[in-house]
């Protein structure tokens, strides 16, 4: 697998991996209500001007002059917020295979089904085949395939921890020692990946969970942190969560619903260490067939989210799509709203990830920021379900989704 990763990295080096420009353009969004941030009051009948990938003006219609050469998008009756982040996706489905050579129209159609029609302008891929996903990112950044900004995390598993839900024939990078973990982290980051994901617990079906030794996890974390890169973790049980804490991992990639919630000691460490959480609540609606069991699992996961948020933790929106096929974000929004207020859910999609991942020009609708925007059919503070009703998705001032 590492050979494949290195080959993909060389491909990106030779043919370009940075975000490309698709032609200078001025765009004006007019007539909508704008939430500059989740905590702000709405600016009504607003005008937003974006030129060359930067918001250059924002204000009421009476304050902002629309340039004569602007492409105008009428947002009357709609609400404009910062573009959304999905902090847990996977580019692993069949349409992404051979993404370097697949027809652009095929990739665009699935990108729309999976991401852009739901307002996503930035995503974290937490595990995919880089032979496919890195060329996909190149084509997205060149403007050939409309899509979000894509960040990648390289995976590693504990020795003997091949989860039952991943086919046995799929090779996985397992690490048995701290030295192996450190080397794999260095290799991933050297090829241009953006972070690391550790399976601190691997689900083995009717066999005991295989947990990663904290010393192994810590070795991977130290390499990543030395280069300023974040580390995510997939915990399966309390032991896996404790390993996250001991190793200094940054982000819990899932809740880990069980018979009890997070312990007071875990919550104290989450807060003091600045650990963030991606709840992936909709995932737990798909794992078993018994509705009663599903309801109990979901309730436990929602309870963990509430504990975490009430404790002051940073919550990041993420759905695990690619692994699951529930592209519609309505379920995730609804389940999060059981534990969080409307503005908190919006923050998990916008300001929280932009701040946490140090994307200084994203997450807000303000002058000088990137024009990454989601134009919604309704006000998400009045009705949180409007977060799943997207009319336009705009990345860097370019429309990457337009509702038919």
């Amino acid at each position: 697998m590492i050979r494949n990763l290195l080959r993909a990295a060389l491909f990106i080096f030779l043919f370009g991996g940075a975000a490309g420009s698709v032609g200078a353009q001025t765009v004006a969004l007019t007539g909508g209500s704008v939430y500059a941030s989740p905590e702000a009051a709405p600016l009504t009948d607003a005008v937003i001007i974006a030129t060359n990938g930067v918001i250059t003006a924002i204000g009421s219609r009476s304050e902002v002059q629309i340039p004569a050469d602007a492409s105008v998008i009428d947002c009357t009756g709609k609400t404009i917020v910062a573009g959304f982040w999905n902090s847990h996706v996977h580019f692993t489905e069949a349409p992404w295979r051979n993404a370097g050579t697949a027809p652009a129209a095929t990739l665009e159609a699935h990108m729309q089904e999976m991401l852009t029609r739901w307002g996503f302008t930035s995503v974290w891929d937490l595990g995919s085949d880089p032979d496919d996903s890195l060329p996909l990112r190149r084509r997205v950044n060149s403007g050939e395939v409309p899509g979000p900004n894509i960040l990648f995390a390289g995976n590693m598993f504990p020795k003997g921890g091949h989860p039952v839900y991943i086919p046995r024939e799929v090779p996985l990078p397992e690490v048995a020692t701290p030295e192996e973990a450190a080397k794999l982290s260095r290799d991933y980051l050297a090829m241009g990946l953006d972070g690391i994901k550790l399976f601190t617990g691997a689900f083995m079906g009717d066999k005991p969970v295989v947990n990663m030794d904290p010393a192994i996890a810590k070795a991977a974390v130290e390499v990543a942190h030395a280069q300023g890169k974040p580390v995510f973790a997939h915990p399966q049980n309390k032991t896996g969560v404790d390993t996250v804490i001991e190793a200094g991992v940054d982000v819990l990639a899932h809740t880990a619903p069980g018979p009890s919630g997070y312990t007071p000691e875990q919550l104290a460490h989450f807060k003091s260490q600045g650990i963030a959480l991606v709840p992936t609540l909709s995932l737990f609606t798909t794992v078993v067939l018994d509705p009663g069991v599903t309801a109990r699992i979901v309730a436990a996961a929602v309870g963990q989210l509430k504990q975490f948020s009430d404790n002051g933790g940073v919550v990041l929106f993420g759905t695990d799509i690619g692994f699951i096929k529930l592209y519609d974000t309505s379920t995730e929004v609804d389940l999060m709203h059981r534990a969080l207020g409307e503005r908190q859910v919006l923050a998990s999609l916008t300001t929280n990830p932009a701040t946490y991942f140090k994307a200084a020009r994203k997450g807000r609708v303000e002058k000088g920021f990137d024009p990454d925007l989601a134009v919604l059919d309704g006000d998400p503070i009045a009705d949180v379900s409007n977060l799943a009703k997207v009319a336009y998705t705009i990345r860097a001032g370019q429309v990457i989704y337009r509702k038919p």
Side-chain angles (χ1 to χ4, degrees), residues 177-179 181-182 212-222 243 246-247:
T177 67
E179 292 74 20
M212 181 176 285
D213 184 277
I216 294 174
K218 187 174 183 179
V221 169
E222 288 176 346
T243 295
E246 186 172 346

Side-chain angles (χ1 to χ4, degrees), residues 60-78:
S60 67
R61 194 188 292 268
S62 61
E63 297 172 330
V64 178
Q65 183 174 356
I66 300 173
D69 63 344
S71 174
V72 177
I73 300 174
D74 183 5
C75 298
T76 303
K78 303 188 186 301

Side-chain angles (χ1 to χ4, degrees), residues 129-158:
D129 184 346
D131 282 352
D132 294 327
S133 52
L134 288 175
L136 172 66
R137 177 164 69 178
R138 175 186 59 82
R139 297 180 73 180
V140 168
N141 286 346
S142 73
E144 183 186 1
V145 176
N149 178 50
I150 304 170
L151 300 162
F152 293 110
N155 284 192
M156 61 183 77
F157 296 77

Side-chain angles (χ1 to χ4, degrees), residues 208-247:
V209 170
V210 174
N211 289 298
M212 181 176 285
D213 184 277
I216 294 174
K218 187 174 183 179
V221 169
E222 288 176 346
V223 170
H225 285 181
Q227 298 188 40
K229 304 297 185 181
V231 180
F232 299 76
H234 172 115
Q236 196 66 44
N237 55 16
K238 181 181 181 300
T239 299
V241 173
D242 287 340
T243 295
V244 165
I245 292 167
E246 186 172 346

Side-chain angles (χ1 to χ4, degrees), residues 16 39 68 100 128 194 204 213 230 274 306 315 344 358 371 375 383:
E39 65 272 13
S128 63
D194 306 287
M204 308 301 289
D213 184 277
K306 182 166 177 54
V315 177
Q344 290 175 300
K358 299 179 175 62
V375 181
D383 182 350

Side-chain angles (χ1 to χ4, degrees), residues 172-234:
L172 298 179
E174 298 181 4
V175 288
T177 67
E179 292 74 20
E180 290 178 2
K183 182 181 185 305
L184 186 53
S185 285
R186 286 192 294 269
D187 289 345
Y188 279 141
L189 300 180
M191 64 183 64
L193 300 191
D194 306 287
I196 303 296
K197 181 187 177 186
L198 307 174
F199 277 72
T200 58
F203 179 63
M204 308 301 289
D206 57 1
K207 298 178 182 178
V209 170
V210 174
N211 289 298
M212 181 176 285
D213 184 277
I216 294 174
K218 187 174 183 179
V221 169
E222 288 176 346
V223 170
H225 285 181
Q227 298 188 40
K229 304 297 185 181
V231 180
F232 299 76
H234 172 115

Side-chain angles (χ1 to χ4, degrees), residues 34-43 79-85 315 341-355 362-366 369 376 379-382 384 387:
V34 177
Y35 283 99
S37 65
E39 65 272 13
L43 173 64
T79 300
I80 304 167
V81 296
F84 296 157
W85 289 64
V315 177
E342 294 86 358
R343 293 179 186 272
Q344 290 175 300
V345 179
L346 179 57
S348 77
L349 284 155
T350 56
T351 48
N352 286 1
T355 300
K362 297 185 185 295
R364 296 176 181 270
V365 189
E366 296 179 5
F369 275 61
L376 309 176
D379 186 333
I381 306 306
V384 76
L387 289 170

